[in-house]
Amino acid sequence: MKEYYADFSAMKLLQIIIFLLAIILILASIFIFFRLKIIMWICISIFIIIAIIINYICLPLYFKTLKYTITANQITLRQGIFFVHEQSIKLQSVQFVQFITGFHGMFGLNFIILYVYGGSMMIFFMKKQDRQELTEFLQRKGIFHAP
């Protein structure tokens, strides 16, 4: 049995993206509501509060709870902040696998989608070496990626 956890460099990248998006929305609200000062300041406050809550509360909690457990027969995904969601699939039911890698595997942007009979499981925010380990494990089990 082996456990994998999310790569926190992906969380840092998401925090930067959310920060930049908040700045763009703040600038847009200044541009749109520059004559209506009360509405402009309400929008700015809302965007700042939402960005802070997402960046410093929700994302760290989510990344701490994201865990994959691999055994000889199954893969289990466990995630959630307020409600824990657990999904398990048996390796014998996997039809094919798809690998998605962003920025050449840097920043934890490695995703594996396992397609099974009747559904799929997405394994996301993996470290590059963890994705390679899991890929080799799946190939040893006779599960190969989609063409």
Side-chain angles (χ1 to χ4, degrees):
M1 181 173 88
K2 175 113 181 179
E3 292 182 345
Y4 297 98
Y5 296 93
D7 188 1
F8 279 88
S9 60
M11 182 185 76
K12 300 294 182 194
L13 180 64
L14 289 174
Q15 287 176 328
I16 291 169
I17 290 170
I18 291 169
F19 175 73
L20 293 175
L21 182 63
I23 289 174
I24 290 169
L25 291 172
I26 288 169
L27 292 175
S29 66
I30 290 171
F31 179 73
I32 293 170
F33 300 116
F34 68 94
R35 291 188 187 199
L36 304 168
K37 299 291 184 191
I38 291 287
I39 295 174
M40 179 185 75
W41 285 109
I42 289 172
C43 289
I44 290 171
S45 301
I46 288 171
F47 294 140
I48 289 173
I49 290 168
I50 289 172
I52 288 172
I53 289 171
I54 291 173
N55 274 345
Y56 298 110
I57 297 172
C58 294
L59 280 177
L61 285 174
Y62 180 75
F63 272 76
K64 282 183 181 178
T65 62
L66 186 61
K67 177 174 83 170
Y68 308 101
T69 305
I70 315 294
T71 64
N73 298 323
Q74 73 179 15
I75 296 177
T76 303
L77 161 66
R78 185 177 169 91
Q79 63 182 348
I81 297 173
F82 302 112
F83 301 100
V84 177
H85 172 74
E86 194 167 300
Q87 179 183 9
S88 295
I89 61 167
K90 297 212 178 281
L91 290 175
Q92 64 196 29
S93 66
V94 176
Q95 293 176 318
F96 63 93
V97 180
Q98 184 177 15
F99 300 104
I100 302 170
T101 302
F103 295 119
H104 302 289
M106 296 171 21
F107 307 115
L109 297 177
N110 294 296
F111 307 92
I112 298 176
I113 304 172
L114 301 166
Y115 294 94
V116 297
Y117 302 117
S120 64
M121 174 191 275
M122 186 170 193
I123 300 175
F124 34 79
F125 303 128
M126 295 188 77
K127 296 175 187 153
K128 188 176 182 178
Q129 63 270 17
D130 290 346
R131 187 195 62 84
Q132 290 171 345
E133 250 181 59
L134 186 54
T135 302
E136 291 169 5
F137 172 75
L138 292 172
Q139 287 176 345
R140 283 194 308 272
K141 287 289 189 180
I143 302 169
F144 299 99
H145 63 86

